[in-house]
Amino acid sequence: MLESAKSILSKILFICIASFLLIGNTASAQNFKLLRYDENYEFLKDSNRNFYERLKFIPLNQKKDIYMSIGGEARYEYVDFNNEDWGRFNVGHNNFLLQRYDLHADIHLGKTFRIFAQLRSALEDGRTNGARGIDEDQLNVQNLFLDVNVWQQKDKKITIRAGRQELDYGSGRLISVREGPNARLYFTGGKLMYTSSRVSVDAFAMMADTVYTGVFDNKMSKQLNLWGAYSKIIFPKAGNLDLYYLGFRRDTSVFEEGIAPERRHTIGSRLWKYGGGFIYNLEAAYQFGTFGSGNINAWTGSIDIGYMFENVKFKPTINLRNDYISGDKNQGNGNLQTFNPLYPKGGYFGFSPQVGPVNLIDIHPYATLDLLSNLKMQVDVVLNWRYSTQDGVYRPSGILNLRGSDSDEKYIGTAYLANFTYGINKYISVVSGIQYFKTGAFINDVIPNSKDGVFFNARLTFKF
């Protein structure tokens, strides 16, 4: 079954890749969204369509108010890692291949109903210590939901969405689709959405699947794992304000404090502005709840400010970022001050970070250059400290990696990064980067004969 499904996906995508290499940039294509269901190709309704545009708008009745859009992706990535574990497990050199394929259909049934369905295959080959949860999910239903527009007036709309769906909010600190890793994240549940020209509000209740590596074998939790509301307010010429509340449940959570059921509530806000000139991204969140019989009291604050020189050659941007993320203060007392990033994106502190957004202080200067109109370079330096010496170092997913209460050292290490993004055309892009992690006093203290980490990757992506 798996080989048959993979063969069908691969053949369809190969035909599409060959076609778009011939088309190049002559087809009219809207920019692809991170969440593919956010794309809308109704603007092609009355145009003379070429091959690509006929795939993006397929009328299913004479009035053309019932139509379908088809899209997909093929992604190939080579990864080469030296000392991903800083020498802890003596893995050393580890190189492997990742593949990701998906196909989706977006069916609009008039102005009221819509069905979006997407299959995805994420594959890993050659990793010395086996596939991680973020590497492989051989075949699954990534999205399958029904939208019902229950009210619409001019630029205002209320929509109910029910089914399996990807989520991504804000800068991805707490809820991310996890685009960097090979296997993207999804939930199953319901969402109520209000949108207007300046305000949007989503209220949702979601279940998280347990992901297995096989074919259609993921298991729904059958309990609420994530619920809350996320709003965005646009202030023209001034910026944007996000306000949110998130509820979280996990029956078995692991922190250095111990293993226990976790019920956590997060309230937060984000003030941000991107574009030319002065840019900023300021975010703060507070968490409370229960961890076993103890209480949760955690927080985070982030400042990211910079400037984009629009009228200077190469359009350089320079940024400085500083994060404070709380950790547990009194290991063993039952209460918990460790911040939980919930469902974060993997690359928040670098495109392949070795340190996650828990119990952390970082200083992160970075800069970008548009070397060509379709070639962008970014360089980063990330200095990392533990916030509390009573708590450990966590992985990018938020899972405990190294216990910390046996060491008084705070400095974890410094990551140096450089990556390049090249857009061959509107459909095909290449991303490549290198990262060097110089271990600090804490790593050297808790791992005998620790080693610096070196990461390299090259990724080819095709989308249509």
Side-chain angles (χ1 to χ4, degrees), residues 326-344:
S326 68
D328 197 38
K329 294 180 179 179
N330 299 293
Q331 201 274 330
N333 73 345
N335 293 322
L336 186 67
Q337 292 82 44
T338 306
F339 187 81
N340 187 338
L342 306 185
Y343 300 99

Side-chain angles (χ1 to χ4, degrees), residues 201-382:
V201 182
D202 287 3
F204 49 86
M206 297 289 167
M207 298 175 286
D209 283 8
T210 300
V211 177
Y212 298 97
T213 60
V215 180
F216 300 134
D217 59 350
N218 298 342
K219 302 296 183 184
M220 193 184 304
S221 66
K222 298 181 181 179
Q223 67 178 23
L224 288 181
N225 302 103
L226 177 68
W227 62 92
Y230 200 102
S231 65
K232 181 174 76 172
I233 305 169
I234 299 172
F235 299 100
K237 300 181 180 181
N240 308 272
L241 175 65
D242 294 0
L243 300 170
Y244 55 87
Y245 158 76
L246 303 172
F248 176 80
R249 168 180 173 168
R250 183 178 288 156
D251 288 341
T252 306
S253 288
V254 180
F255 297 93
E256 182 153 355
E257 178 62 32
I259 303 173
E262 179 182 5
R263 307 291 184 271
R264 190 178 293 248
H265 307 275
T266 303
I267 53 175
S269 63
R270 174 180 175 238
L271 185 65
W272 55 282
K273 177 181 176 292
Y274 298 139
F278 182 57
I279 52 180
Y280 56 85
N281 183 12
L282 316 175
E283 187 164 2
Y286 172 70
Q287 295 183 333
F288 59 96
T290 59
F291 179 69
S293 59
N295 295 318
I296 293 172
N297 180 19
W299 60 275
T300 184
S302 174
I303 299 174
D304 188 349
I305 56 175
Y307 195 89
M308 179 179 181
F309 298 88
E310 279 188 298
N311 300 317
V312 176
K313 188 177 181 180
F314 305 128
K315 295 183 178 179
T317 66
I318 53 172
N319 283 70
L320 178 62
R321 177 173 169 176
N322 183 208
D323 297 273
Y324 281 79
I325 307 171
S326 68
D328 197 38
K329 294 180 179 179
N330 299 293
Q331 201 274 330
N333 73 345
N335 293 322
L336 186 67
Q337 292 82 44
T338 306
F339 187 81
N340 187 338
L342 306 185
Y343 300 99
K345 65 181 179 182
Y348 204 70
F349 298 94
F351 58 86
S352 184
Q354 292 177 268
V355 180
V358 185
N359 188 37
L360 186 69
I361 300 172
D362 76 84
I363 297 176
H364 181 178
Y366 62 99
T368 67
L369 289 172
D370 289 350
L371 300 178
L372 300 170
S373 61
N374 55 351
L375 176 62
K376 181 182 287 289
M377 179 183 73
Q378 179 167 326
V379 291
D380 306 60
V381 178
V382 190

